């Protein structure tokens, strides 16, 4: 009976544990199911939004390409029409030229005249540039001539001053030569007088001054100190400049 009771208890416990496991498993399944549904709905919404944006972008690009294709078609049509018109004009011109060779000759003459006019206009333009340069050169030449006249005038003034200085230098050289000659003469006279003075002093010292026998032949030169010779001894008067 005890074992049976234990078995019953174990069965009850097992059943309870089984029920708990089943409940827990059901709850986990429900949670996983909810999470799956939530992530699936999020992915679905993201996919839908991305698909919608791609569709919108595709539509915009498709519309842009269609507009560009339409523009290119219209431009092509316009160019085709223009080409047709040009071809028609060229054909009409060729026909007119073939029909009237004088018109063709006049057109050629007109083209040649246009070329000549362009060359002449270019030459005139070059001549205008040269004239402007010449006017500028003439203006510069006038300025240079004025400067040259001023420099020549200054040169003349300097030349006149130089001539005055040269004349003054010649006068000073002449006066210096005269002074040099006078100084040389005075130096010679001073030397001679110094020698005579020394001879007289020597004779006076030796007591031979009164001896007529030993008088020096240069004794009569004592009167050289007279006023007649003193003029040679005095220095010449130099006029102040």
């Amino acid at each position: 009976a005890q074992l049976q009771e234990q078995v019953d208890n174990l069965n009850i416990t097992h059943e309870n544990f089984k029920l708990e496991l089943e409940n827990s498993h059901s709850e986990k399944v429900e949670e996983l199911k909810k999470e799956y549904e939530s992530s699936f709905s999020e992915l679905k919404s993201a996919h839908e939004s991305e698909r919608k944006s791609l569709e919108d972008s595709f539509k915009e690009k498709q519309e842009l390409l269609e507009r560009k294709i339409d523009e290119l078609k219209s431009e092509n049509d316009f160019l085709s029409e223009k080409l047709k018109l040009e071809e028609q004009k060229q054909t009409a011109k060729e026909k007119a030229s073939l029909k009237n060779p004088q018109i063709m000759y006049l057109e050629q003459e007109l083209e040649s005249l246009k070329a000549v006019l362009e060359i002449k206009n270019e030459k005139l333009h070059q001549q205008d540039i040269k004239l402007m340069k010449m006017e500028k050169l003439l203006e510069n030449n006038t300025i240079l001539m004025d400067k040259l006249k001023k420099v020549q005038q200054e040169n003349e003034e300097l030349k006149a001053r130089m001539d005055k200085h040269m004349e003054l230098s010649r006068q000073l050289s002449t006066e210096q030569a005269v002074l040099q000659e006078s100084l040389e003469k005075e130096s010679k006279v001073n030397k001679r007088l110094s020698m005579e003075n020394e001879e007289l002093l020597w004779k006076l010292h030796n007591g031979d001054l009164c001896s007529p026998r030993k008088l020096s032949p240069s004794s009569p030169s004592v009167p050289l100190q007279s006023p007649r010779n003193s003029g040679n001894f005095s220095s010449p008067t130099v006029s102040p400049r």
Side-chain angles (χ1 to χ4, degrees):
Q2 290 178 352
L3 288 172
Q4 185 65 39
E5 188 178 356
Q6 289 179 356
V7 168
D8 292 335
N9 290 329
L10 286 172
N11 287 326
I12 292 168
T13 303
H14 178 71
E15 288 294 330
N16 291 329
F17 183 70
K18 183 178 179 183
L19 288 172
E20 288 178 358
L21 285 175
E22 287 178 355
N23 291 328
S24 175
H25 179 70
S26 298
E27 289 177 358
K28 287 182 179 179
V29 168
E30 288 294 329
E31 288 178 358
L32 289 172
K33 188 175 180 182
K34 288 179 180 179
E35 288 178 0
Y36 172 75
E37 288 177 354
S38 176
S39 62
F40 180 75
S41 63
E42 288 177 358
L43 288 172
K44 188 175 181 181
S45 62
H47 177 70
E48 287 294 330
S49 62
E50 186 177 1
R51 184 178 64 81
K52 189 175 181 181
S53 64
L54 288 173
E55 286 179 354
D56 294 337
S57 176
F58 176 74
K59 286 181 180 179
E60 288 177 0
K61 289 182 179 179
Q62 188 176 6
E63 290 175 357
L64 182 64
L65 288 173
E66 287 177 355
R67 286 198 298 271
K68 195 168 183 179
I69 289 169
D70 293 335
E71 289 176 358
L72 290 172
K73 282 182 179 179
S74 61
E75 187 176 357
N76 190 15
D77 295 336
F78 175 74
L79 290 173
S80 298
E81 291 293 330
K82 191 174 182 180
L83 183 61
K84 286 180 181 179
L85 290 173
E86 290 293 331
E87 288 178 354
Q88 290 176 0
K89 287 180 181 179
Q90 188 68 25
T91 305
K93 190 174 181 181
E94 289 177 356
K95 287 181 180 179
S97 298
L98 290 173
K99 290 180 180 178
N100 195 354
Q102 187 176 1
I103 294 174
M104 186 176 180
Y105 174 74
L106 291 174
E107 287 180 353
Q108 291 178 355
E109 288 292 326
L110 184 61
E111 292 294 330
S112 63
L113 287 173
K114 286 181 180 179
V116 171
L117 283 173
E118 288 179 358
I119 293 169
K120 287 186 176 181
N121 287 328
E122 184 66 24
K123 287 183 178 179
L124 286 173
H125 182 64
Q126 294 294 331
Q127 287 180 357
D128 290 336
I129 294 172
K130 288 181 179 179
L131 285 173
M132 290 174 67
K133 288 182 178 178
M134 287 295 292
E135 289 176 357
K136 192 172 181 180
L137 287 173
L138 286 172
E139 185 177 356
N140 292 330
N141 192 13
T142 306
I143 295 169
L144 290 174
M145 287 296 292
D146 293 336
K147 289 182 178 179
L148 180 62
K149 288 178 181 179
K150 188 175 180 181
V151 170
Q152 286 178 351
Q153 186 177 359
E154 291 178 355
N155 192 12
E156 292 293 333
E157 292 177 357
L158 290 173
K159 189 176 180 182
R161 290 173 63 185
M162 190 181 291
D163 292 337
K164 288 182 181 179
H165 283 297
M166 289 295 291
E167 183 66 26
L168 182 59
S169 179
R170 283 196 293 270
Q171 290 178 3
L172 291 174
S173 297
T174 305
E175 292 179 1
Q176 187 178 3
V178 172
L179 289 173
Q180 187 70 28
E181 186 178 357
S182 299
L183 287 172
E184 288 177 358
K185 287 180 181 180
E186 288 181 4
S187 179
K188 288 179 181 180
V189 171
N190 286 332
K191 282 183 180 181
R192 186 165 55 83
L193 290 174
S194 179
M195 289 173 66
E196 290 177 358
N197 192 14
E198 287 178 0
E199 186 178 356
L200 289 172
L201 287 173
W202 183 79
K203 286 179 179 182
L204 181 63
H205 182 70
N206 292 327
D208 293 337
L209 184 61
C210 296
S211 177
R213 180 172 54 86
K214 293 182 179 181
L215 282 175
S216 175
S218 61
S219 58
S221 63
V222 176
L224 287 171
Q225 295 178 0
S226 63
R228 181 175 59 83
N229 291 324
S230 63
N232 293 325
F233 183 72
S234 62
S235 61
T237 305
V238 181
S239 61
R241 298 196 57 82

